[in-house]
């Protein structure tokens, strides 16, 4: 559909995964839904939760696939195809254990970096040419096996920073929607800080 923008947050469905590091994408699109006063509806034909919103002059569709992370590409493909979303108007929001907590990185395309959700979307869409916003969740020092870490919840010392990064990520996604990817990258990419320009990267 003309002028429709799609923002997909990736995560695992189910109460046991709620608020875990791996569900950072879900948390970010939840923040957007709250800001835009958009309600979630489960749509069986897509196996996804969808929320429709008007953000300024843009029509936005938020999506939380209800397949597990490594199969999330199928619901995303079905939504993209049904609503005829042009790939320049599609953004995927994911967690990234290779980025420290407090880092954001938006890119117009590129490698999945081993993220199974991005891999699934790339396979289903047949391209890497779509925007992806990586939300840093960090990893445990010296630990190669990270499954337990990413499927765990933020510790008491991390929660305040995690809340700030989710808010900043939602603001970055909204900037992508309203002003384009270049402005969203220059304004938010890098280390979250109180100074608007400190630690930013292009």
């Amino acid at each position: 559909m003309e002028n429709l923008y799609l923002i997909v947050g990736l995560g695992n469905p189910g109460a046991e995964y709620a608020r875990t590091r791996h569900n950072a994408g879900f948390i970010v699109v939840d923040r957007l839904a709250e800001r835009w006063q958009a309600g979630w509806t489960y749509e069986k034909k897509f196996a996804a939760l969808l929320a429709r919103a008007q953000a300024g002059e843009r029509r936005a569709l938020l999506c939380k696939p209800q397949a597990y992370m490594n199969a999330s590409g199928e619901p995303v493909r079905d939504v993209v195809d049904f609503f005829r979303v042009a790939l320049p108007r599609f953004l995927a929001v994911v967690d990234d254990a290779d980025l420290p907590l407090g880092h954001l990185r938006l890119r117009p395309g590129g490698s999945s970096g081993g993220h199974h959700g991005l891999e699934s979307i790339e396979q289903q869409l047949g391209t890497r040419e779509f925007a992806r916003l990586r939300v840093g969740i960090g990893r445990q020092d010296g630990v190669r096996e990270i499954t337990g870490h990413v499927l765990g919840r933020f510790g008491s010392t991390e929660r305040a920073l995690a809340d700030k990064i989710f808010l900043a990520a939602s603001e970055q996604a909204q900037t992508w929607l309203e002003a384009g990817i270049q402005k969203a990258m220059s304004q938010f990419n890098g280390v979250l800080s109180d100074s608007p320009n400190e630690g930013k990267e292009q």
Side-chain angles (χ1 to χ4, degrees), residues 83-182:
F83 291 99
R84 300 176 187 174
V85 178
L87 288 184
R89 294 181 176 181
F90 166 51
L91 171 66
V93 184
V94 303
D95 64 293
D96 192 328
D98 291 326
L99 286 179
L101 182 66
H103 285 60
L104 292 173
R105 183 173 294 161
L106 173 64
R107 291 286 185 267
S111 166
S112 68
H115 192 285
H116 296 316
L118 282 178
E119 287 175 355
S120 180
I121 293 174
E122 291 171 359
Q123 290 168 0
Q124 293 295 326
L125 296 183
T127 182
R128 293 178 171 179
E129 299 305 310
F130 59 87
R132 66 278 313 272
L133 169 54
R134 299 176 183 272
V135 180
I137 61 168
R139 66 166 68 222
Q140 293 168 296
D141 291 340
V143 178
R144 291 179 62 94
E145 175 51 56
I146 64 170
T147 301
H149 176 68
V150 300
L151 293 180
R153 290 178 171 81
F154 293 99
S156 58
T157 59
E158 299 174 305
R159 287 178 194 141
L161 180 55
D163 283 342
K164 285 184 179 180
I165 201 71
F166 294 140
L167 175 61
S170 68
E171 291 173 346
Q172 185 170 25
Q174 182 163 340
T175 302
W176 166 85
L177 175 75
E178 295 177 345
I181 192 167
Q182 293 301 326

Side-chain angles (χ1 to χ4, degrees), residues 1-6 58 85-91 176:
M1 294 182 180
E2 190 175 356
N3 297 326
L4 183 69
Y5 288 75
L6 173 63
R58 311 284 196 191
V85 178
L87 288 184
R89 294 181 176 181
F90 166 51
L91 171 66
W176 166 85

